Amino acid sequence: MLAHMPPRPRQPQPTHAPRGLNRRAAPSIAEVLKTGRSFSFEFSPPKSEKAEQQFWKAIRQLESLKPTFVSVTYGAGGSTRETTVAITGAIAEQTSLDPVAHLTAVDHSVQELRHVIGSYAGVGVRNMLALRGDPPGDPNAEWVMHPDGLAHAVQLVELLKASGDFCVGVAAFPELHPRSLDADADARYFVEKCRAGAEFAITQLFFNPEDYLRMRDRVSALGCEVPIIPGIMPATSPRILDRMVEFSGCKVPVGLLDQLRAATDRGDQAAAREIGVGYASALCERLLAEGAPGLHFCTLNNARATIELYSSLGLATLSGNRAPITA
């Protein structure tokens, strides 16, 4: 069994968490997307005391932008799942933010999954992101299911829908899932997840808007209109580009890498950040112009570049009220 579950009322809370707030019922992401766009932020679970301080600092800074939701990743191979569950519960209980809970099948029995789902539900989490997850240690290694677990994300969607009134999201892959046979097979499997009950999706990171648009067209051609939210990360240094490739295997534009290396080599971090934010801003503008249902920003627990990107898109001026944002 997992050792750490989301904190219950009157239990000790994480040291650096904001003070508790009265919770309202969180809207489902599907409901939001019926009336407007979703703009959201993704965080990584902290692994040290210093990282926890940075995590809550970023949460506080980005909370003022009133995103539609926030999410906390499980880490590679589900390596931080216990921290993720606890932190997601703390966000739900102690901030004004609506968390979407990540849930993966990696190294989980069905019994453990049900326990995690119940713990999320106990702190009012209504929206879930169902992911099969990558093999621990090496995302390219052979995926081996838990002997009492689940083999595919579609089964996790089915389990969530059978467990309560959850709005379930899934992953989408503009550059195809690394284990997909081809683009058509990738689209068919995505649609299978939606027919099992998924109501929205968030993509892996990508740089070419055409990859997203072609994926969306393939899915639509199969009669599926589930909203697919692009996942975006401003690449503000070669190191962050390396992390993006590690996270998602995305194709990196050579020109962008060259510009970032040149700025970094001359010690001009401000120029590097401007290059990365500018590239991401152009990508986001194209995606929104093409009708993307929103944007999901991966923050790396650092608010600065995300706030600059948010502002460059004019979203900061629209965030006085919680999404849906109809602009």
Side-chain angles (χ1 to χ4, degrees), residues 81-248:
R81 63 191 178 199
E82 295 172 357
T83 303
T84 295
V85 173
I87 287 288
T88 302
I91 292 171
E93 291 186 324
Q94 302 169 46
T95 78
S96 64
L97 299 167
D98 291 328
V100 168
H102 281 224
L103 187 65
T104 81
V106 176
D107 282 349
H108 274 315
S109 68
V110 171
Q111 182 181 3
E112 287 172 331
L113 288 168
R114 288 191 175 118
H115 188 65
V116 174
I117 293 167
S119 298
Y120 278 137
V123 291
V125 175
R126 182 183 177 192
N127 297 288
M128 301 275 195
L129 191 63
L131 310 165
R132 190 183 74 163
D134 293 323
D138 180 3
N140 297 313
E142 180 183 359
W143 200 92
V144 179
M145 68 174 283
H146 187 286
D148 298 312
L150 303 175
H152 302 288
V154 66
Q155 296 171 307
L156 193 53
V157 174
E158 291 168 345
L159 177 63
L160 280 163
K161 298 304 286 187
S163 298
D165 184 23
F166 296 111
C167 176
V168 181
V170 292
F173 299 87
E175 297 180 6
L176 309 187
H177 189 282
R179 292 177 175 82
S180 289
L181 295 175
D182 54 41
D184 290 337
D186 193 84
R188 287 194 301 271
Y189 185 65
F190 175 81
V191 172
E192 184 180 347
K193 292 188 290 187
C194 295
R195 289 175 178 161
E199 298 176 80
F200 71 99
I202 299 173
T203 75
Q204 280 279 27
L205 302 174
F206 64 97
F207 284 102
N208 183 356
E210 299 300 329
D211 288 331
Y212 170 86
L213 297 173
R214 284 191 290 265
M215 174 200 66
R216 188 180 65 178
D217 288 346
R218 288 192 297 270
V219 169
S220 181
L222 295 174
C224 178
E225 301 298 334
V226 166
I228 304 174
I229 303 170
I232 302 293
M233 182 191 291
T236 55
S237 72
R239 178 183 60 83
I240 289 178
L241 267 182
D242 288 342
R243 290 193 68 178
M244 294 174 73
V245 173
E246 179 185 352
F247 288 162
S248 65

Side-chain angles (χ1 to χ4, degrees), residues 42-46 55 71-73 84 243 247 299-301:
E42 182 172 291
F43 299 88
S44 303
F55 173 89
S71 67
V72 183
T73 68
T84 295
R243 290 193 68 178
F247 288 162
T299 70
L300 294 179
N301 295 355

